[in-house]
Amino acid sequence: MTVTHDKGYTTTMRKINILATAALGTTLALGLAACGGTAGGGGNAAPASGASGAAASTAKYNDAYTKVVNPSDAKGGTLKFALTDEPDSVDPGNTYYAWNWDFTRLYARPLMTYAAEPGDAGLKLVPDLAEGAGEASADGLTWTYKLKKGIKYDDGTEVKATDVKYAVARSNFTDELTDGPKYFAQYLDADGYKGPYKDKNLDDFKGIETPDDYTIVFKLKQPFAEFDFLVANPQTAPVPQAKDTGVDYEKTVASTGPFKIESYEVGKQLNLVRNASWDPSTDTTRKQLPDRIEVQYKQNAEDIDSRLLAGQIQVDLGGTGVQTAARAKIVGDPKLKDSTDNPFTPFNRYAMMSTQVKPFDNIECRKAVQYATDKVATQAPWGGPLGGEIGTTAMTPTTVGYKAFDLFPNGADHTGDLAKAKEALTACGQPDGFETNIAVRGDRTKEVQVAEAMQASLDRVGIKLTIKKYPSGDWSSQYAGKPDFVHKNNLGIMVAGWGSDWPSGFGFLSQIVDGRFIKDSGNYNMMELNDKSVNDLLDKGIQTTDTTARNEIWAEVDKKVMESAAFLPFVYEKTLIYRPSTLTNVYVHPAYGMYDYTWLGVQQ
């Protein structure tokens, strides 16, 4: 692949790919006995050179991609975040934004997590609540975890195995919590379980057994070779049944991490303070440096950049990088540029065409959009080559199983093949073009600009787009992720982005291409693609224990999805992230493609 940054950075990305492949192979070959090391082998090794206080930064451009910048153990101060909209939820069991999976780790600990290290080592799984990796049965149908003893909630009560069981039950088997993934509902052998809001007897949930207070046994319908990666998602963070208040639980989450919720005003602000019950001896991957953490929601994107550059806030929580004006200012100033990192993220930025909205129920109409789109124009809002490589596949080059191909070449310069587009329009019975709506998250400036670029591109062949803007906080639950709304409002195209739930082809693809994941709300398969051959390949792959064979299957799934012409990739995303000099312990976590929020401190 062609990249615009230095060779060392490129090499690191390729090494991460290799490492992830090796990690998955170790996981399967050893029955998850050793992938990620022991409970004591976590990520605190990286900043061994850290001083008790942070000196003036001498860091350079992209340094936080390969090492910890401004290492420090100094405590105190207020760490300030800002976000352009609001989260889908701060409830760890009801969220699906990558930045929020990163952020919720400040107060919620799942069974497994990733090592707290930059570069290659950060993709290794390590135990979090669990004592070690899961033990799979010989037939692959049960996975057993042992909880560390003595882990407490912020009120001082001890975490028990039933709390993990309950957390999975509420996040996956209720109608009320719609925003998170439903992997456990699909793969656990739950025998028609209706969820704890309809059936308060947790013993009726047969998909998980808890033979004692510290043992958790997951019972599967079919083998799932990457199960340790699955339990690293925040839905295994424990929830005491007596404290669950449904959708309002996000206001009073029982904390197991280094911080706890002090106050939460939905849509306005979230404040965290230290959790005195957190025991660092049980936690190898987090720090507890600031006295408090403040998050402001619904902030203007350009204003966030200005406040970052002025040192008034420390982090743009969304992790999607600075906007056009700030990017130009930073790139033109060597000193400012040395305070930035330009990593590949796990994200593909793309549009999906709904196969259930006319005329996109006709594949030739979808092909017309593929050929007519000017991908240089859709790359521009992300910052041109600085913001990512032009994409041609569903999976990204940093996803294990990726193979390069291009089924819809749109000219040597990627600005569109209008002749091919017009041929496709004729084939779909719309030779003069057609009208449709394109949906975007209105607070995401780059996505709006991408929609405008598509509008201009497609107009060249008579396809007229009307841009519809919706809030990102309810994007999946009420708008683009709600098929009924999509159909009623003729949303033919939806601009979106996706990063892998864990570093494999399955972790990237399953939630956005499996037809069995199409939900009435919180849907991420916005193509509404339900191709049996795709679904069957996903099942075959996740049961395949040979790493090489499994990765070949993920590449095959990718090609079948692209053959549908419903998935239109724009860029394999890179971001330009600014780190103020007052921010300490800064590094890009490869599992999230943004800074590790659990390590950050602020210099006084």
Side-chain angles (χ1 to χ4, degrees):
M1 59 183 175
T2 303
V3 290
T4 60
H5 44 64
D6 63 271
K7 182 179 178 181
Y9 178 50
T10 307
T11 301
T12 300
M13 285 310 305
R14 288 173 177 163
K15 286 171 68 181
I16 285 175
N17 233 352
I18 293 167
L19 174 79
T21 305
L24 287 168
T26 302
T27 296
L28 302 172
L30 302 183
L32 269 289
C35 182
T38 63
N44 286 346
S49 59
S52 59
S57 176
T58 58
K60 300 297 183 182
Y61 170 68
N62 260 340
D63 269 3
Y65 190 73
T66 56
K67 64 183 180 182
V68 177
V69 170
N70 293 345
S72 173
D73 292 327
K75 298 189 176 186
T78 299
L79 179 62
K80 296 182 179 181
F81 291 79
L83 185 69
T84 55
D85 196 61
E86 62 181 319
D88 43 7
S89 174
V90 301
D91 180 342
N94 195 33
T95 181
Y96 212 174
Y97 280 120
W99 61 263
N100 214 17
W101 280 26
D102 186 1
F103 185 80
T104 59
R105 295 179 306 125
L106 286 161
Y107 52 88
R109 296 175 62 181
L111 287 173
M112 299 288 290
T113 191
Y114 295 92
E117 298 186 50
D120 301 2
L123 289 178
K124 292 189 298 184
L125 285 169
V126 295
D128 199 348
L129 287 181
E131 289 183 343
E135 295 181 6
S137 60
D139 60 6
L141 294 179
T142 65
W143 286 77
T144 301
Y145 296 84
K146 293 284 189 178
L147 285 181
K148 296 172 185 173
K149 295 181 180 179
I151 295 178
K152 297 179 180 179
Y153 295 108
D154 54 282
D155 67 357
T157 59
E158 189 177 12
V159 172
K160 298 295 176 65
T162 52
D163 300 340
V164 176
K165 176 177 180 175
Y166 182 75
V168 173
R170 70 184 290 275
S171 63
N172 277 257
F173 294 90
T174 58
D175 296 329
E176 291 80 1
L177 304 184
T178 62
D179 289 328
K182 302 295 182 182
Y183 287 113
F184 292 107
Q186 182 172 3
Y187 289 102
L188 291 182
D189 189 5
D191 193 27
Y193 179 62
K194 299 299 183 182
Y197 299 161
K198 294 181 179 177
D199 181 353
K200 295 187 182 298
N201 183 3
L202 196 58
D203 289 339
D204 291 338
F205 178 26
K206 305 299 184 182
I208 298 176
E209 294 179 347
T210 53
D212 58 57
D213 284 344
Y214 304 101
T215 304
I216 305 161
V217 183
F218 293 86
K219 300 172 65 179
L220 280 62
K221 300 174 189 173
Q222 61 191 54
F224 191 98
E226 299 176 4
F227 201 76
D228 259 5
F229 284 96
L230 178 52
V231 300
N233 95 45
Q235 292 181 338
T236 62
V239 177
Q241 185 169 6
K243 293 189 175 182
D244 184 18
T245 53
V247 293
D248 288 331
Y249 177 70
E250 64 175 348
K251 300 175 183 177
T252 57
V253 174
S255 174
T256 48
F259 294 88
K260 63 181 181 179
I261 295 176
E262 178 190 60
S263 62
Y264 178 40
E265 295 180 79
V266 177
K268 294 182 179 179
Q269 185 158 323
L270 171 68
N271 295 320
L272 306 179
V273 294
R274 291 170 177 268
N275 175 10
S277 296
W278 176 71
D279 182 356
S281 70
T282 70
D283 192 340
T284 66
T285 65
R286 297 168 180 81
K287 290 182 177 291
Q288 191 188 53
L289 299 181
D291 291 329
R292 63 187 288 110
I293 295 172
E294 296 178 353
V295 186
Q296 292 181 318
Y297 298 128
K298 293 187 175 295
Q299 303 297 297
N300 175 270
E302 287 75 14
D303 184 55
I304 289 176
D305 292 345
S306 297
R307 292 161 67 196
L308 278 171
L309 291 171
Q312 296 169 352
I313 59 174
Q314 285 78 43
V315 188
D316 177 357
L317 181 53
T320 55
V322 297
Q323 308 305 310
T324 303
R327 186 167 56 238
K329 182 177 181 179
I330 288 167
V331 171
D333 184 329
K335 185 175 180 180
L336 287 177
K337 188 175 180 181
D338 278 342
S339 294
T340 63
D341 300 289
N342 186 213
F344 270 104
T345 76
F347 278 83
N348 195 342
R349 298 294 173 179
Y350 56 80
M352 285 185 171
M353 289 168 265
S354 173
T355 59
Q356 303 302 309
V357 172
K358 291 184 179 298
F360 294 125
D361 55 344
N362 186 315
I363 189 173
E364 295 297 332
C365 288
R366 303 196 295 265
K367 287 181 179 179
V369 172
Q370 294 277 354
Y371 286 121
T373 298
D374 179 344
K375 288 195 175 181
V376 174
T378 56
Q379 181 193 40
W382 304 102
L386 194 68
E389 294 181 5
I390 288 175
T392 60
T393 59
M395 290 197 297
T396 67
T398 59
T399 305
V400 177
Y402 165 82
K403 285 188 177 181
F405 61 89
D406 187 358
L407 299 185
F408 306 104
N410 61 340
D413 57 359
H414 293 293
T415 58
D417 187 330
L418 303 189
K420 282 274 192 183
K422 290 176 180 177
E423 286 178 14
L425 283 173
T426 299
C428 83
Q430 303 278 353
D432 298 322
F434 53 84
E435 295 183 6
T436 191
N437 294 324
I438 181 169
V440 297
R441 289 173 280 199
D443 63 294
R444 303 289 179 92
T445 303
K446 297 172 185 176
E447 293 186 3
V448 174
Q449 292 171 344
V450 164
E452 292 169 346
M454 282 194 70
Q455 192 177 49
S457 293
L458 301 188
D459 186 64
R460 298 178 298 176
V461 295
I463 301 175
K464 307 295 184 181
L465 298 186
T466 299
I467 299 173
K468 302 289 186 178
K469 300 178 183 179
Y470 303 105
S472 64
D474 294 323
W475 173 251
S476 68
S477 62
Q478 299 298 324
Y479 303 110
K482 192 177 181 68
D484 185 57
F485 183 89
V486 169
H487 304 159
K488 286 180 179 178
N489 290 274
N490 193 36
L491 301 184
I493 304 175
M494 286 145 283
V495 177
W498 192 259
S500 119
D501 287 353
W502 59 84
S504 83
F506 187 90
F508 189 95
L509 292 167
S510 62
Q511 294 290 307
I512 60 173
V513 306
D514 191 329
R516 297 162 296 185
F517 282 144
I518 297 171
K519 299 180 289 184
D520 292 338
S521 177
N523 175 48
Y524 291 91
N525 180 349
M526 296 170 187
M527 301 174 288
E528 297 183 71
L529 181 69
N530 192 4
D531 183 330
K532 186 177 185 301
S533 65
V534 169
N535 302 344
D536 289 347
L537 277 171
L538 287 167
D539 288 346
K540 179 182 177 182
I542 201 58
Q543 297 179 55
T544 300
T545 57
D546 179 80
T547 304
T548 301
R550 188 170 65 253
N551 291 337
E552 289 291 331
I553 293 171
W554 305 148
E556 189 177 350
V557 173
D558 193 344
K559 183 160 285 189
K560 282 190 173 294
V561 170
M562 291 305 301
E563 286 171 351
S564 76
F567 191 103
L568 174 61
F570 298 133
V571 293
Y572 306 132
E573 185 189 62
K574 293 164 59 184
T575 55
L576 189 67
I577 315 174
Y578 184 79
R579 43 178 154 79
S581 60
T582 55
L583 196 61
T584 64
N585 295 310
V586 191
Y587 75 92
V588 175
H589 199 301
Y592 304 100
M594 58 192 74
Y595 296 143
D596 183 345
Y597 295 152
T598 70
W599 265 48
L600 298 177
V602 59
Q603 189 175 357
Q604 301 299 293

